[in-house]
């Protein structure tokens, strides 16, 4: 956040003597001046959402600059609002989520940081385009935004060009122009004792190697199955076929904020409305009913979606504990082969 704002203020600070009011900001309908004020408005709005722990809507305030504030003053406000958002991100616990409408009505501190960085990068680009300036932010800033807010966008030749294309501001060879877009904060599903947190490509990259994906795990975690699953998530992202709601979720225990396992879907629903689920728990978390609780919640969430009619799970014959989990979650055995048993959970719908 601080780096993005510093780059913005540094670049635009050299042209504060120019006319920002009479110049359109790139492809926007706003002037460069209006766009600069909008950056500040977004940064303080995001800080307010986090600081106020807003759950049902935006915090009811707005930003206005004093009459007579010049362009240099507007940049000072951007710097101050960026510092406030950075402070809010630093001081907000990782499990806190606040309201944001797109697409699942909430975001955590990382999501708000990424949205703040996106606003700064994209609108600095718009202003620069209007004023005829050359601007290209640091690649790591663009990658930060893409791997947290654009999990459905296949990586391109460079993070900056990909972000511009994904937000309708540029072209990429072999890809159709983007006319409408939304970013995508991760899905979160709550249960009585757990929070199922959707894994972003950034977290999947870390989890698939030796990292913790930004989660604090109980002793022994994450286990190999989680790392393998995370690797598959990132491979789907690289291939441009990742759909975040049908990906992996880390199971976080509410009582202490520690991750105890992972659960997720193997792919998107097929044409018949079938989707397969898999899961694993760190050994120290087994025997407490966490897998059953999470499976009930995730299956129910999936079956509430119009494209899903059946949730499927396949387990090894000798994995009796997992078979018990499926039975307790309401699944029924429907098939078997020499090595595996197949279970299904169906939702009956009228018509």
């Amino acid at each position: 956040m601080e780096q993005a704002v510093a780059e913005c203020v540094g670049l635009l600070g050299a042209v504060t003597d120019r006319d920002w009011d009479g110049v359109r900001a790139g492809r926007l309908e706003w002037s460069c001046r209006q766009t600069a004020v909008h950056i500040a408005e977004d940064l303080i709005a995001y800080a307010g959402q986090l600081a106020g722990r807003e759950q049902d809507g935006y915090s009811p305030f707005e930003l206005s600059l004093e009459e007579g504030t010049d362009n240099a003053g507007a940049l000072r406000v951007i710097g101050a609002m960026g510092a406030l958002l950075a402070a809010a991100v630093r001081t907000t616990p990782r499990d806190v989520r606040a309201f944001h409408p797109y697409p699942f009505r909430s975001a955590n501190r990382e999501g708000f940081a990424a949205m703040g960085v996106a606003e700064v990068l994209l609108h600095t680009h718009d202003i620069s385009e209007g004023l005829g300036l050359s601007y290209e932010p640091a690649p790591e800033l663009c990658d930060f935004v893409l791997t947290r807010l654009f999990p459905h966008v296949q990586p391109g030749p460079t993070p900056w060009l990909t972000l511009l294309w994904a937000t309708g501001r540029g072209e990429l060879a072999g890809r159709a122009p983007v006319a409408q877009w939304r970013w995508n904060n991760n899905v979160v599903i709550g249960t009585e004792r757990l929070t199922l947190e959707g894994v972003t490509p950034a977290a999947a990259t870390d989890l698939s190697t030796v990292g913790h994906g930004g989660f604090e795990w109980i002793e022994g975690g994450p286990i190999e199955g989680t790392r393998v699953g995370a690797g598959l998530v990132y491979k789907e992202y690289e291939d441009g076929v990742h759909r975040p709601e049908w990906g992996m979720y880390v199971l976080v225990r509410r009582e202490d904020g520690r991750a105890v396992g992972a659960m997720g879907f193997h792919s998107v629903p097929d044409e018949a409305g079938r989707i397969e689920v898999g899961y694993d728990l760190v050994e120290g978390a087994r025997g407490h009913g966490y897998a059953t609780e999470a499976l009930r919640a995730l299956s129910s969430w999936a079956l509430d979606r119009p494209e899903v009619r059946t949730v499927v799970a396949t387990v090894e014959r000798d994995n009796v504990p997992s078979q018990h989990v499926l039975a307790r979650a309401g699944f029924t055995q429907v098939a078997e082969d020499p090595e595996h048993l197949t279970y299904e959970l169906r939702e009956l719908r009228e018509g």
Side-chain angles (χ1 to χ4, degrees), residues 8 12 20 25 28 30-43 63 65 71 74-75 77-78 123-124 127:
C8 165
L12 300 181
W20 290 15
L28 303 182
W30 299 330
S31 71
C32 291
R33 170 72 175 200
Q34 289 172 314
T35 305
V37 174
H38 176 76
I39 294 174
E41 289 172 336
D42 279 338
L43 296 178
L63 174 74
L65 274 59
N71 294 335
L75 288 183
V77 175
I78 289 175
H123 291 315
T124 301
I127 296 171

Side-chain angles (χ1 to χ4, degrees), residues 132-173:
L133 304 175
S134 176
Y135 171 66
E136 182 171 342
E140 61 268 22
L141 293 177
C142 307
D143 188 65
F144 175 74
V145 171
L146 286 167
T147 57
R148 288 157 178 83
L149 297 181
F150 294 86
H152 52 293
V153 172
Q154 183 178 21
T158 68
W160 180 227
L161 293 179
T162 304
L163 182 58
L164 289 178
W165 170 80
T167 57
R169 290 172 168 83
E171 298 180 355
L172 279 185

Side-chain angles (χ1 to χ4, degrees), residues 49 52-57 96-100 105-106:
Q49 292 303 99
R53 308 294 195 261
E54 298 290 344
Q55 297 299 306
D56 301 317
V96 169
R97 297 185 73 87
F99 173 82
H100 189 277
R105 299 186 62 79
S106 73

Side-chain angles (χ1 to χ4, degrees), residues 94-327:
R94 70 163 308 281
D95 61 318
V96 169
R97 297 185 73 87
F99 173 82
H100 189 277
Y102 308 124
F104 301 111
R105 299 186 62 79
S106 73
N108 61 8
R109 64 186 184 188
E110 192 173 69
F112 278 104
M115 289 188 289
V117 172
E119 297 286 356
V120 174
L121 300 189
L122 295 171
H123 291 315
T124 301
H125 163 79
D126 297 330
I127 296 171
S128 299
E129 195 170 53
L131 296 175
L133 304 175
S134 176
Y135 171 66
E136 182 171 342
E140 61 268 22
L141 293 177
C142 307
D143 188 65
F144 175 74
V145 171
L146 286 167
T147 57
R148 288 157 178 83
L149 297 181
F150 294 86
H152 52 293
V153 172
Q154 183 178 21
T158 68
W160 180 227
L161 293 179
T162 304
L163 182 58
L164 289 178
W165 170 80
T167 57
R169 290 172 168 83
E171 298 180 355
L172 279 185
R175 302 195 194 183
V178 173
Q180 295 182 323
W181 61 274
R182 293 289 190 196
W183 52 47
N184 196 316
N185 279 292
N186 65 328
V187 191
V188 169
I189 301 169
T191 74
E192 181 180 355
R193 297 180 297 165
L194 301 170
T195 302
L196 284 63
E197 297 192 22
V199 172
T200 65
T205 304
D206 193 44
L207 277 171
S208 66
T209 54
V210 296
H212 290 169
F215 299 91
E216 185 176 355
W217 292 78
I218 65 171
E219 186 176 354
I223 63 176
E224 184 61 21
T226 296
R227 296 201 185 280
V228 171
L232 295 175
V233 168
Y234 192 77
K235 179 64 166 56
E236 289 182 341
Y237 170 66
E238 284 188 316
D239 292 341
V241 297
H242 178 52
R243 297 297 174 264
E245 62 267 39
W246 305 117
M248 171 186 281
Y249 296 77
V250 168
L251 315 184
V252 179
R253 199 162 54 191
R254 289 180 181 271
E255 67 181 37
D256 57 7
R258 291 179 176 270
V260 298
M263 182 173 291
F265 303 106
H266 293 183
S267 64
V268 298
D270 65 19
E271 293 181 356
R274 292 167 58 87
I275 191 165
E276 186 170 0
V277 67
Y279 49 88
D280 57 32
L281 288 182
V282 180
E283 186 173 354
R286 296 170 188 170
H288 300 282
Y290 293 137
T292 301
E293 185 173 326
L295 185 57
R296 285 173 177 159
L298 190 59
S299 299
S300 177
W301 180 87
L303 289 168
D304 279 341
R305 304 289 292 265
E307 60 266 51
V308 176
R309 299 194 68 85
T310 308
V311 181
V312 181
T314 301
V315 296
E316 296 177 348
R317 277 186 171 275
D318 60 356
N319 190 348
V320 177
S322 188
Q323 294 167 29
H324 289 164
V325 166
L326 290 164

